[in-house]
Amino acid sequence: MRHPCGQPPQLSRGTWQHGGVTSATHSSLFPRESDGGQIVTPPRDADAVLDGLDPEQREVATALHGPVCVLAGAGTGKTRAITHRIAYGVRAGILQPASVLAVTFTNRAAGEMRGRLRQLGAGGVQARTFHSAALRQLQFFWPKAVGGELPRLLDRKVQLVAESAARCRIRLDRNELRDVTGEIEWAKVTQTVPADYPAAVAKSSREAPRDAAEIGQIYGMYEQLKRERSVIDFEDVLLLTVGILQDRHDIADQIRRQYQHFVVDEYQDVSPLQQRLLDLWLGDRESLCVVGDASQTIYSFTGATPDHLLNFRTRHPGATVVKLVRDYRSTPQVVHLANGLLNQARGRAAEHRLELISQREPGPEPVCAEYADEPAEAEGTARRIRDLIAAGVPAGEIAVLYRINAQSEVYEQALADAGVPYQLRGAERFFERQEVREAGAALRGAARFGGNDSLLDDVVELPSQVRAVLSTKGWTTEPPAGSGAVRDRWESLAALVRLAEDFVRAKPSATLADLVAELDERAAAQHAPTVQGVTLASLHAAKGLEWDAVFLVGLTEGMMPITYAKTDEQIEEERRLLYVGVTRARLHLSLSWALSRSPGGRASRRATRFLNGLRPGSVAPSARGAGAGAGGSVERAGATRRKRRGPVLCRVCRKTLTDAGEMKLMRCEDCPSDMDEALYERLRDWRADQAQQLGQPAYCVFTDKTLMAIAEAVPGSAGELAGIAGVGSRKLDRFGAEVLAICAGEERAEADRDS
């Protein structure tokens, strides 16, 4: 039986309900199927822009003069409010579209904002990231302000940082190199020069990845090499734009004449450098609207700070302040847990927390689950996901979120073993992947010369044309087995196929040339299509996204909060990170942890302190000794369903195994394999037949590593087969007899007799 993490809040009868207010979420560049596949018609006039907004959103939309600060909780429709505000001002003739600059933090968010503004009849408004807006200005004004061409922009600063370290005779491994690069980025957005870096680190209680003096030395050499080679980096775009606007008042005045009104989304994430640029854009005017939530500040390691949001009313005493607290995303049960997390928070951001009020119908209680070990947690999560999919929840509406990317591997394996498709988020940008660039070139060529391409003979429908073209690049109707680079490439191409299907639903008369134009626009905005699979992502990468079902995994002390979070401020940011994870869920929410890392390990771990008083049987921090928090008990799924095993030892060298892939093979990756190659090939042939009969990808039967483990162990009984990782009870019941027969050579004997 599953037990809830908390009880739903008691909402007052007097709470305003959203009669006629439309959903604040689920917007995209393409109309949803519920829109009937039709392009959305812009509102008929300014007043119609306000239709469907709740009272607070309407207040935001109509506050067009003076400084405005919108404090918007998770799922409260902040993007809806500010886009309707801009559109209302434009349609009412108060704002000129070209005079408005809306700034956000990701290309995807900027692209979504532009799409919404077009639908509202305000298509001429500029919606950009800080960096893209600054780069356009820098490119335009550089010849006038400095002369000559703008220096080349570095694609990747890591290589230059590595060379700088070598020049300083400092050796960095790959992880240190990445961390030092991050430190240089932090220093630049906080406007810290190399000589001041060690003092700045000490003052901020920042834990440098290695000696601060060494990093300062590398940072100084990095800046020197950039000057010698006439290149600039991503942060220089902002620094140089700030420098020009400070020194050249004529250029600053020209930009201020162009942009009369500014809107800044995710204002809690601005860095000191970004705030300095914003101040220069504004000058002495106050035509500014900012939107943010201090409780969602999770990027302080990049230089982001909520201070600008929290100090807004001090800097602008006459500002209009509007709070959005009506949550349209999550059920009362999810919202109650989210509010409970913040009720225990401390510090300045906590003093300005927003108490959310769900506007949705009640849903299932959040589930807390305790497991014996990490593989058991991953397998239990995969089972629950498979059950949700069987119950009708699309795989693309489910996410598994963890604290660090290194936690993903065991979940990738568990989902593959369970036959559940998945996608990793936070890897290389979609439109920068080699296979996507190659596919785009192929589609562009087909659009231009398709009449002479035999591949497209008798293929009229747009999605069929795309499938035909991409089949030459590796796309197939069924995905390849496994989870490596080949599968990643297929998923990218499959996403393009689905994008074509969505596009033609929105625009039935679309041609291949129209699709190519749409791809180019999306590539410019980095607005990637969605891969249809369960999302695996870090909590940081999940910011700004939402799913019907969210599984928050690995919630143990040392991981949440992370071990290196030492100060009170760092601990509170970890709490906010968990809050962001909870508020990604619309309907289903699961929180889980494992008592040990590997099977048979010492059960020394405990659940995160952030759930004290919120999970059944725990005590709230302010009520220690007063009894338990929520009623009921935690589901100890791993402890009751999974028999505790001893340490997994390499069967060659007897070393204890901790890597999920090595545990599946029952040996170290480097130890010699005694695999029966012929048996492995017979098992692969059998798996292919099974997959074809079931109409599923081959990995849904058994993964390659499971087949390798079977071919190495050559089990002679059901018990021996069950002892191989990846062969659970369900697969043992379904395939065990046939696999044992193949291992015994019976299939070959039958084939010999038939011949």
Side-chain angles (χ1 to χ4, degrees):
M1 179 179 179
R2 299 180 182 182
H3 298 281
C5 281
Q7 302 300 320
Q10 297 298 315
L11 299 181
S12 167
R13 284 281 185 182
T15 300
W16 181 86
Q17 293 298 316
H18 60 295
V21 176
T22 52
S23 172
T25 55
H26 272 303
S27 177
S28 69
L29 293 184
F30 291 134
R32 297 168 59 197
E33 291 184 11
S34 58
D35 296 325
Q38 301 299 314
I39 300 298
V40 176
T41 303
R44 62 185 181 278
D45 54 31
D47 288 340
V49 172
L50 304 178
D51 290 347
L53 299 181
D54 69 30
E56 292 79 22
Q57 292 171 346
R58 183 180 286 254
E59 186 177 354
V60 172
T62 54
L64 296 174
H65 301 287
V68 178
C69 179
V70 183
L71 302 176
T76 57
K78 65 179 179 62
T79 306
R80 179 185 181 85
I82 58 176
T83 52
H84 280 68
R85 179 182 186 272
I86 295 170
Y88 178 72
V90 169
R91 300 294 294 275
I94 299 171
L95 303 176
Q96 295 301 312
S99 72
V100 180
L101 178 59
V103 186
T104 187
F105 280 80
T106 66
N107 287 307
R108 181 181 180 88
E112 181 183 355
M113 191 177 291
R114 285 194 295 271
R116 292 198 190 195
L117 288 169
R118 283 199 301 267
Q119 291 180 351
L120 292 169
V125 173
Q126 292 290 311
R128 298 187 175 278
T129 65
F130 271 102
H131 283 88
S132 65
L135 182 58
R136 280 171 61 91
Q137 294 172 14
L138 196 60
Q139 290 169 331
F140 185 81
F141 289 110
W142 185 268
K144 179 180 179 180
V146 181
E149 292 187 1
L150 180 70
R152 180 176 62 85
L153 186 62
L154 272 175
D155 290 330
R156 295 178 70 246
K157 61 170 66 72
V158 171
Q159 293 171 343
L160 197 58
V161 173
E163 185 177 343
S164 302
R167 291 278 188 99
C168 297
R169 300 184 182 279
I170 298 172
R171 294 193 61 179
L172 301 176
D173 63 28
R174 185 172 62 180
N175 291 329
E176 287 177 321
L177 180 60
R178 182 186 62 192
D179 292 341
V180 169
T181 301
E183 286 300 294
I184 291 175
E185 292 173 350
W186 173 82
K188 298 187 75 166
V189 300
T190 55
Q191 303 175 84
T192 303
V193 298
D196 295 341
Y197 171 78
V201 168
K203 183 179 179 181
S204 66
S205 299
R206 187 177 182 86
E207 190 170 330
R210 59 183 299 147
D211 182 71
E214 288 185 338
I215 295 178
Q217 187 180 357
I218 296 169
Y219 178 16
M221 179 59 69
Y222 169 77
E223 292 297 316
Q224 179 181 323
L225 290 179
K226 284 201 293 104
R227 288 191 297 271
E228 291 175 359
R229 297 173 186 182
S230 296
V231 295
I232 61 175
D233 62 24
F234 206 50
E235 290 70 40
D236 289 331
V237 171
L238 300 184
L239 285 164
L240 291 170
T241 305
V242 164
I244 288 175
L245 295 182
Q246 286 179 160
D247 295 342
R248 293 291 300 268
H249 298 291
D250 56 330
I251 292 176
D253 289 341
Q254 187 174 343
I255 289 176
R256 290 167 192 159
R257 285 194 299 271
Q258 167 70 45
Y259 294 116
Q260 303 289 324
H261 195 87
F262 296 86
V263 177
V264 184
D265 194 10
E266 303 287 3
Y267 192 57
Q268 78 278 352
D269 289 333
V270 297
S271 68
L273 179 57
Q274 290 165 332
Q275 180 62 48
R276 181 64 187 136
L277 178 59
L278 179 61
D279 290 340
L280 288 166
W281 281 341
L282 274 168
D284 58 2
R285 300 167 299 173
E286 291 199 321
S287 52
L288 171 67
C289 173
V290 300
V291 189
D293 178 10
S295 296
Q296 295 188 68
T297 306
I298 59 173
Y299 297 112
S300 68
F301 61 91
T302 67
T305 170
D307 289 346
H308 305 298
L309 176 66
L310 298 177
N311 294 337
F312 191 83
R313 280 174 285 188
T314 302
R315 298 183 65 190
H316 305 277
T320 299
V321 179
V322 184
K323 294 182 179 180
L324 302 182
V325 296
R326 306 185 196 280
D327 188 319
Y328 298 95
R329 175 187 299 158
S330 305
T331 62
Q333 287 77 10
V334 173
V335 166
H336 179 58
L337 181 59
N339 286 337
L341 279 173
L342 292 189
N343 286 340
Q344 299 177 6
R346 300 291 182 267
R348 191 171 180 220
E351 294 171 1
H352 294 79
R353 62 182 176 268
L354 299 169
E355 188 84 8
L356 299 178
I357 304 172
S358 176
Q359 303 297 300
R360 293 192 55 173
E361 293 295 322
E365 296 288 352
V367 172
C368 288
E370 182 178 279
Y371 293 88
D373 50 67
E374 287 184 4
E377 184 181 7
E379 291 171 12
T381 300
R383 280 196 304 271
R384 287 181 167 170
I385 289 173
R386 192 178 61 212
D387 292 343
L388 281 176
I389 294 173
V393 180
E397 289 292 352
I398 303 174
V400 178
L401 306 181
Y402 33 75
R403 178 60 180 84
I404 59 174
N405 287 319
Q407 293 172 271
S408 75
E409 182 183 5
V410 67
Y411 290 93
E412 293 180 58
Q413 189 65 59
L415 290 171
D417 286 346
V420 176
Y422 65 88
Q423 59 165 327
L424 275 170
R425 183 173 179 83
E428 186 180 29
R429 287 179 175 181
F430 183 85
F431 286 102
E432 292 176 0
R433 296 176 189 170
Q434 181 178 352
E435 65 269 21
V436 175
R437 293 199 301 268
E438 292 174 355
L443 291 170
R444 195 171 290 106
R448 191 175 301 163
F449 307 112
N452 299 320
D453 192 342
S454 60
L455 190 67
L456 300 182
D457 286 348
D458 302 322
V459 180
V460 178
E461 182 194 18
L462 176 59
S464 297
Q465 292 177 333
V466 173
R467 284 190 284 266
V469 173
L470 297 189
S471 65
T472 66
K473 298 298 177 183
W475 179 83
T476 57
T477 54
E478 293 294 331
S483 58
V486 173
R487 176 60 183 258
D488 291 343
R489 178 184 178 88
W490 183 91
E491 291 286 3
S492 297
L493 299 177
L496 290 174
V497 171
R498 282 189 291 272
L499 190 148
E501 293 167 351
D502 290 342
F503 188 62
V504 80
R505 275 199 294 269
K507 191 176 180 182
S509 60
T511 65
L512 196 54
D514 294 330
L515 177 64
V516 168
E518 175 68 20
L519 290 176
D520 289 342
E521 182 178 339
R522 280 171 167 251
Q526 285 298 332
H527 186 93
T530 301
V531 176
Q532 289 305 305
V534 173
T535 297
L536 296 178
S538 70
L539 286 162
H540 283 103
K543 178 73 168 64
L545 303 175
E546 58 186 83
W547 296 269
D548 284 345
V550 169
F551 290 79
L552 302 176
V553 299
L555 300 181
T556 59
E557 286 289 312
M559 192 60 74
M560 177 57 66
I562 198 75
T563 304
Y564 52 75
K566 304 292 187 184
T567 67
D568 290 343
E569 289 183 2
Q570 291 168 340
I571 295 293
E572 286 306 316
E573 180 151 337
E574 293 289 298
R575 187 194 307 275
R576 294 194 295 270
L577 189 56
L578 181 57
Y579 171 79
V580 166
V582 167
T583 55
R584 300 310 93 195
R586 299 189 193 107
L587 182 62
H588 303 280
L589 176 64
S590 174
L591 305 98
S592 64
W593 58 93
L595 299 178
S596 67
R597 178 181 179 185
S598 55
R602 189 163 62 92
S604 58
R605 293 176 171 181
R606 66 181 189 275
T608 172
R609 71 191 75 170
F610 299 145
L611 294 180
N612 289 343
L614 299 175
R615 61 183 177 87
S618 64
V619 179
S622 59
R624 296 205 180 275
S633 60
V634 176
E635 177 188 351
R636 291 178 172 81
T640 56
R641 297 184 183 177
R642 184 184 182 92
K643 183 178 179 181
R644 184 175 297 277
R645 300 182 296 195
V648 180
L649 303 178
C650 173
R651 52 192 170 77
V652 180
C653 69
R654 307 306 293 170
K655 173 185 172 184
T656 300
L657 301 176
T658 57
D659 178 78
E662 292 181 344
M663 288 166 63
K664 186 174 285 290
L665 290 175
M666 298 293 289
R667 64 172 172 82
C668 300
E669 198 77 44
D670 298 333
C671 283
S673 168
D674 54 356
M675 183 176 70
D676 184 332
E677 296 285 352
L679 174 57
Y680 178 65
E681 290 304 319
R682 293 201 305 275
L683 288 168
R684 283 178 58 87
D685 292 342
W686 166 83
R687 182 181 66 175
D689 292 340
Q690 288 292 325
Q692 185 174 8
Q693 293 174 25
L694 296 171
Q696 295 180 340
Y699 71 86
C700 292
V701 180
F702 285 118
T703 63
D704 286 345
K705 281 198 172 179
T706 300
L707 291 188
M708 289 174 65
I710 294 172
E712 290 185 356
V714 193
S717 67
E720 292 176 0
L721 180 59
I724 295 174
V727 183
S729 58
R730 183 176 64 88
K731 291 188 178 182
L732 183 65
D733 293 341
R734 190 168 192 176
F735 305 124
E738 293 182 54
V739 170
L740 290 172
I742 295 171
C743 291
E746 294 179 14
E747 186 177 271
R748 174 183 289 180
E750 289 181 6
D752 292 342
R753 284 196 300 271
D754 291 341
S755 60

